[in-house]
Amino acid sequence: MLADSLPSDRPADVLICLDNPQAATSIGSVLSARGLSVAAISMSGMQSEFEPNGCRVVITHTAMIGRVRNRLKLPIVNIEAFIFERQDGSDAGSPKQFDGAAFVKRVLTVMSDAERRAPR
């Protein structure tokens, strides 16, 4: 998955709005493995005339939440809430740990909540 690429065959369930294409690809893989359709776009790409047709939730990080919220009226999941320091006594320079199970659970919960609140 490339940043600023949106699938044309099916509307995406989840929009990943990150400026790091590698992170967007990794997160997209986790969500796609759970059967969700995913689109990714950078913040600069979102500033254009982009409309997230069909998207039910946006994944981003803390520094971008305000800008995403101003541009899109969709629920947001902050990816940083699921990244932790390792608890195995590793030094501070070691890679952080991502709680993928909790992340996917949160995305599904937010999508479900948004669906219940949608006007019928």
Side-chain angles (χ1 to χ4, degrees):
M1 171 181 18
L2 301 173
D4 296 331
S5 68
L6 300 172
S8 58
D9 57 338
R10 170 181 159 192
D13 298 314
V14 179
L15 177 64
I16 300 171
C17 185
L18 297 171
D19 285 324
N20 180 330
Q22 205 170 23
T25 298
S26 295
I27 293 163
S29 295
V30 169
L31 295 171
S32 293
R34 299 297 177 124
L36 297 172
S37 59
V38 178
I41 192 164
S42 65
M43 193 62 202
S44 58
M46 194 176 70
Q47 296 302 336
S48 63
E49 294 297 316
F50 166 74
E51 286 302 322
N53 297 328
C55 292
R56 301 185 321 191
V57 65
V58 179
I59 309 301
T60 194
H61 62 91
T62 305
M64 291 175 65
I65 288 175
R67 292 187 285 171
V68 169
R69 190 169 280 136
N70 287 335
R71 177 67 174 84
L72 303 174
K73 303 301 181 217
L74 292 169
I76 298 170
V77 174
N78 182 353
I79 191 68
E80 290 181 56
F82 303 93
I83 300 172
F84 303 95
E85 294 293 334
R86 292 196 177 274
Q87 300 298 316
D88 59 6
S90 304
D91 64 323
S94 65
K96 295 186 179 190
Q97 182 174 337
F98 176 65
D99 189 344
F103 169 70
V104 170
K105 182 178 178 182
R106 179 68 179 151
V107 169
L108 294 173
T109 298
V110 169
M111 287 173 60
S112 176
D113 289 349
E115 198 170 286
R116 282 196 300 259
R117 288 188 208 130
R120 296 178 195 233

